């Protein structure tokens, strides 16, 4: 069951040739956070495998998400005064978010420190990041709360907000697929600091702070959404296009044709088109009925799609034109919007979400096992495998 061969022999050979190449120009990262990480890394024992740090951070993100979900399943708990989520939960959220941020920032440093940097470590890191990106956002929505007519944000705004964040993540790896260089996005460090600050403020003064308008009737949550959209459309995406254009001028692009360069975008864009059709045309208004379940499914499906792009980028191979998730999703969307599902639409969403999540976990475990055996290493240990 756990030995499915998701990675082709050609891709495995490509991983052998892979070299990590990244550029970090974020002032927040370079001048403030990196000195902090350089101090924290010194307390990590040398016998700890870097992937243990990576996975520990991801587990903390999951624990925080499910804890918040237990108090606020439908994103309404923060819409009352006082909020229904205990203060200690918000403070715990700040703690786990900082720890996950720190562990994600020092795992690569620790790998170089222990001379254990491998393509598997980078794939493990970025693969979990592709999933954690959505979980961070879904947890933060509990701070904002769902629109109650006076404050909060609508579930449709949540969907758009999540889509933009995932679009930014996709662009970073699409950029690397074409240039061979990962230009670390400025938004990552900024978003983590904002998240931690938001949790601390909520834990300190209560959710009421998010219910008070700032200026001209705008709430803090409105300002955050505007900043996100502006940052994405007018900074991150143009920077991605500029970096690809520079690589084209220098003749260092990894892909010579326009088709090859745009290929990684096809499945993610089709994925969001299908999901948006479901949101817009659902007879039962599925996003309003089950926002947490639907948005979780969006994040998991995106993560699996982008993981395949990351594998192709690291192994210098072409991704498939249509990800297999698109076909069952298209069937479910058609059955939903045509009215075939009727009152069963929510139940089908729940079953589909469970299956997508299980498939993604299976994919991650099998890919990790396959690469660890190919590279003759263990995922969570610095020991070398004994050749059979």
């Amino acid at each position: 069951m756990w030995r499915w061969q998701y990675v082709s022999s050609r891709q495995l050979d490509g991983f052998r040739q892979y070299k990590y190449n990244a550029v970090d120009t974020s002032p927040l990262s370079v001048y403030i956070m990196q000195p902090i990480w350089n101090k924290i890394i010194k307390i990590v024992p040398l016998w700890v495998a870097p992937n243990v740090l990576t996975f520990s951070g991801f587990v903390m993100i999951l624990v925080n998400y499910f804890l918040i979900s237990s108090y606020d399943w439908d994103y309404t708990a923060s819409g009352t005064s006082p909020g229904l989520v205990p203060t200690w939960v918000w403070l715990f959220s700040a703690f786990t978010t900082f720890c996950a941020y720190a562990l994600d920032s020092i795992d690569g440093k620790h790998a170089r420190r222990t001379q254990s940097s491998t393509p598997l470590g980078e794939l493990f890191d970025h693969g979990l990041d592709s999933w954690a990106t959505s979980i961070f956002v879904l947890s933060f929505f509990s701070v904002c709360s769902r629109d109650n007519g006076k404050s909060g944000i609508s579930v449709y705004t949540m969907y758009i907000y999540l889509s933009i964040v995932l679009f930014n993540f996709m662009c970073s790896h699409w950029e690397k697929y074409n240039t061979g260089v990962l230009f670390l996005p400025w938004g990552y460090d900024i978003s983590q600091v904002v998240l931690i600050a938001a949790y601390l403020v909520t834990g300190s003064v209560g959710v009421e702070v998010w219910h008070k308008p700032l200026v001209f009737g705008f709430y803090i949550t409105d300002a955050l959404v505007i900043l996100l959209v502006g940052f994405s459309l007018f900074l991150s995406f143009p920077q991605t296009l500029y970096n690809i254009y520079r690589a084209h001028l220098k003749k260092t692009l990894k892909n010579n044709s326009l088709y090859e360069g745009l290929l990684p975008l096809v499945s993610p864009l089709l994925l969001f088109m299908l999901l948006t059709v479901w949101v817009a045309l659902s007879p039962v208004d599925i996003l309003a009925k089950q926002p947490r379940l639907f948005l979780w499914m969006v994040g998991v499906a995106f993560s699996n799609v982008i993981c395949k792009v990351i594998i192709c980028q690291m192994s210098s191979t072409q991704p498939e034109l249509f990800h297999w998730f698109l076909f069952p999703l298209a069937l479910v969307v058609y059955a939903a919007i045509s009215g075939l599902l009727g009152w069963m639409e929510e139940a089908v969403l729940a079953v589909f979400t469970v299956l997508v999540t299980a498939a993604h976990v299976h994919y991650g475990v099998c890919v990790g096992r396959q690469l660890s055996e190919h590279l003759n290493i263990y995922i969570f240990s610095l020991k070398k495998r004994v050749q059979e």
Side-chain angles (χ1 to χ4, degrees):
M1 177 182 178
W2 300 107
R3 291 197 173 273
W4 193 270
Q5 304 292 301
Y6 285 108
V7 184
S8 69
S9 57
R10 185 183 171 193
Q11 289 174 328
L12 290 174
D13 291 338
F15 272 102
R16 288 280 189 186
Q17 312 301 321
Y18 176 75
K19 299 294 182 184
Y20 179 64
N21 189 3
V23 176
D24 187 2
T25 60
S26 167
L28 175 59
S29 173
V30 174
Y31 298 109
I32 299 177
M33 303 313 301
Q34 290 300 331
I36 296 175
W37 308 143
N38 289 335
K39 293 182 182 298
I40 292 178
I41 190 65
K42 294 177 181 178
I43 68 175
V44 180
L46 291 174
W47 53 265
V48 174
N51 287 337
V52 171
L53 303 180
T54 307
F55 189 66
S56 298
F58 180 71
V59 169
M60 296 187 82
I61 296 168
L62 279 179
V63 169
N64 179 57
Y65 172 79
F66 288 118
L67 175 64
I68 292 178
S69 300
S70 68
Y71 285 98
D72 184 28
W73 176 257
D74 56 359
Y75 292 115
T76 59
S78 295
T80 60
S81 182
L84 302 179
V85 179
T87 297
W88 71 266
V89 172
W90 299 124
L91 298 178
F92 180 77
S93 296
F95 172 74
T96 53
T97 302
F98 175 79
C99 289
Y101 178 27
L103 291 168
D104 186 48
S105 299
I106 68 174
D107 54 3
K109 293 178 181 293
H110 186 62
R112 291 184 289 274
R113 181 173 171 238
T114 55
Q115 299 182 344
S116 58
S117 298
T118 66
L120 174 58
E122 181 181 343
L123 177 62
F124 192 73
D125 185 10
H126 293 166
L128 289 180
D129 284 346
S130 70
W131 195 353
T133 298
S134 64
I135 300 174
F136 277 128
V137 177
L138 300 186
S139 298
F140 177 69
F141 286 157
S142 286
V143 171
C144 303
S145 92
R146 188 171 174 173
D147 184 14
N148 58 13
K150 296 180 179 180
S151 61
I153 58 178
S154 73
V155 291
Y156 306 102
T157 301
M158 291 181 185
Y159 175 70
I160 294 171
Y161 191 114
L162 177 63
S163 299
I164 292 173
V165 171
L166 296 180
F167 174 76
N168 272 342
F169 188 92
M170 177 187 71
C171 283
S172 294
H173 289 279
W174 173 58
E175 179 181 20
K176 188 182 180 187
Y177 173 84
N178 283 286
T179 65
V181 181
L182 179 63
F183 294 89
L184 299 173
W186 288 21
Y188 173 68
D189 292 281
I190 295 172
S191 66
Q192 294 302 294
V193 172
V194 169
L195 273 177
I196 295 166
Y199 289 135
L200 288 174
V201 169
T202 307
S204 301
V205 302
V207 295
E208 292 81 7
V209 68
W210 306 102
H211 302 164
K212 299 174 182 177
L214 284 174
V215 290
F216 306 116
F218 281 96
Y219 292 82
I220 299 178
T221 50
D222 297 325
L224 290 175
V225 171
I226 293 171
L227 284 174
L228 172 71
V229 174
F231 189 87
S232 301
L233 297 182
F234 301 110
L235 183 61
S236 295
F237 186 57
Q239 186 66 40
T240 293
L241 296 179
Y242 176 69
N243 289 331
I244 294 176
Y245 178 68
R246 283 182 58 194
H248 169 70
L249 293 180
K250 295 178 180 179
K251 302 187 183 303
T252 57
L253 280 178
K254 296 181 66 178
N255 303 289
N256 297 321
S257 71
L258 183 64
Y259 171 78
E260 291 177 342
L262 295 177
L263 191 57
L265 299 180
V266 175
S267 286
L269 291 178
L270 287 176
L271 173 67
F272 283 115
M273 286 175 62
L274 286 170
L275 292 169
T276 302
V277 168
W278 193 357
V279 168
L281 302 181
S282 169
V284 302
D285 200 359
I286 193 65
L287 184 59
K289 288 285 185 66
Q290 293 291 343
R292 189 173 288 277
L293 204 58
F294 190 92
L295 295 176
W296 171 270
M297 182 268 292
V298 171
V300 175
F302 166 84
S303 178
N304 195 269
V305 170
I306 204 65
C307 277
K308 291 203 170 188
V309 173
I310 294 171
I311 287 177
C312 292
Q313 164 253 303
M314 293 181 67
S315 60
S316 297
T317 56
Q318 281 191 10
E320 58 197 357
L321 182 60
F322 301 115
H323 189 286
W324 73 267
F325 268 10
L326 297 174
F327 299 102
L329 176 61
L331 289 175
V332 171
V333 171
Y334 172 76
I337 66 176
S338 64
L340 290 176
L341 296 181
W343 60 270
M344 295 178 59
E345 187 174 344
E346 290 182 62
V348 170
L349 169 64
V351 172
F352 185 71
T353 300
V354 170
L355 292 177
V356 167
T357 304
H360 187 45
V361 171
H362 183 267
Y363 178 80
V365 172
C366 290
V367 169
R369 182 189 293 272
Q370 193 178 355
L371 275 173
S372 67
E373 292 176 353
H374 179 72
L375 299 173
N376 194 35
I377 57 177
Y378 290 105
I379 299 177
F380 296 116
S381 173
L382 294 177
K383 296 178 180 179
K384 291 289 184 180
R385 279 182 177 270
V386 177
Q387 292 279 14
E388 297 181 359

